[in-house]
Amino acid sequence: MAIATAFDPEELSALPLWFGAFRVTNRIGEGGTAYVFRGEHRDTGEAVALKTVRSGLSHEITVLTREIATLQELKHPGIVRFVQHGTCDAGMPWMALELLEGRTLLDEIALLWADQAVHPRDFANPVPRQDSTPADGSWLFSLKDDPALSLPTRKPAAGRLWDALAVL
């Protein structure tokens, strides 16, 4: 099946799609300009991450083409391994990269903060909205009653700062 100028839901559900010798098995994710799929090489069975543009707009193609050129040149244990690249029947570029499985950086950060009483996103804004702020400044004295200010004091990275720095 050829990749259309833009992926539509019917086409994505009509797997398998092929990028060169790689069969798409499912969609892993998407970003602002690209889709990422899990794929397998038809002969070796090697699992890879397949990345291609979302809509085929010229700026998306330019960005992915530059990324391909850059990743082809980079070889480092801390950088995902570039496997192959090509152009699909519809003329859109794609690349196959080493598939890294496991937790995401967001997952790791959540685990580091998991033993805290409150997630950082749960802090309320202690400053009243402008339209409800008394002109006399008396709101400053009411901040001690704000629930966000009564939360328990927490250590950086829930006391695991060196673990957090190692992950980052």
Side-chain angles (χ1 to χ4, degrees):
M1 172 183 283
I3 306 301
T5 312
F7 287 99
D8 59 32
E10 291 178 18
E11 188 169 24
L12 290 175
S13 64
L15 297 175
L17 299 173
W18 289 85
F19 292 92
F22 297 94
R23 180 178 61 88
V24 173
T25 58
N26 62 356
R27 187 166 70 182
I28 296 173
E30 60 186 87
T33 62
Y35 284 118
V36 180
F37 301 97
R38 179 185 179 95
E40 292 179 357
H41 192 277
R42 84 171 135 233
D43 298 328
T44 66
E46 176 185 13
V48 296
L50 296 165
K51 185 174 182 178
T52 190
V53 294
R54 286 175 54 103
S55 66
L57 296 173
S58 63
H59 77 276
E60 292 178 357
I61 292 172
T62 300
V63 168
L64 189 62
T65 302
R66 285 183 187 154
E67 188 175 345
I68 290 169
T70 301
L71 285 173
Q72 281 182 295
E73 301 298 318
L74 297 175
K75 306 230 181 326
H76 185 275
I79 299 173
V80 67
R81 181 177 55 88
F82 181 85
V83 177
Q84 192 175 355
H85 73 98
T87 305
C88 68
D89 295 341
M92 293 199 287
W94 60 268
M95 67 176 159
L97 303 168
E98 170 185 18
L99 180 64
L100 301 178
E101 301 197 66
R103 294 188 299 258
T104 66
L105 180 58
L106 184 59
D107 294 336
E108 289 293 328
I109 291 169
L111 285 172
L112 287 172
W113 268 266
D115 61 351
Q116 295 189 79
V118 179
H119 190 281
R121 285 192 300 245
D122 294 336
F123 278 105
N125 183 357
V127 179
R129 292 182 358 190
Q130 288 293 5
D131 60 352
S132 65
T133 304
D136 64 0
S138 61
W139 64 273
L140 288 171
F141 299 105
S142 66
L143 286 179
K144 65 179 176 22
D145 300 324
D146 191 306
L149 297 179
S150 63
L151 294 174
T153 304
R154 296 176 291 177
K155 296 178 184 176
R160 299 176 59 196
L161 183 58
W162 292 112
D163 293 337
L165 292 174
V167 167
L168 294 174

